[in-house]
């Protein structure tokens, strides 16, 4: 069960990192550029893969 919570938390962090890059400035700003996009997308992918593995 812990890995399921971890996967959801990582996905939530990825979404929160990508929102400022899409123009939602209510949460503050993140460093812009390719690096910010790569970090946010990588965290989202890790979270989604974790969710898929924990739901099997």
């Amino acid at each position: 069960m812990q890995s399921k919570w971890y996967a959801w938390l990582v996905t939530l962090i990825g979404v929160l990192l990508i929102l400022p890059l899409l123009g939602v400035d209510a949460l503050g700003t993140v460093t812009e550029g390719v690096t910010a996009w790569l970090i946010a997308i990588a965290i989202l992918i890790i979270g989604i893969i974790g969710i898929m593995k924990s739901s099997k």
Side-chain angles (χ1 to χ4, degrees):
M1 181 162 127
Q2 183 180 9
S3 63
K4 186 175 182 179
W5 284 103
Y6 176 75
W8 279 105
L9 181 63
V10 169
T11 304
L12 178 65
I13 291 170
V15 169
L16 291 176
L17 284 173
I18 212 164
L19 283 176
L21 297 173
L22 295 174
V24 179
D25 291 331
L27 299 173
T29 59
V30 179
T31 306
E32 294 183 21
V34 176
T35 306
W37 278 101
L38 290 176
I39 291 170
I41 290 172
I43 290 174
L44 275 174
I45 290 171
I46 291 169
I48 291 170
I49 290 172
I51 291 170
M52 289 177 13
K53 284 184 179 180
S54 69
S55 67
K56 285 185 178 179

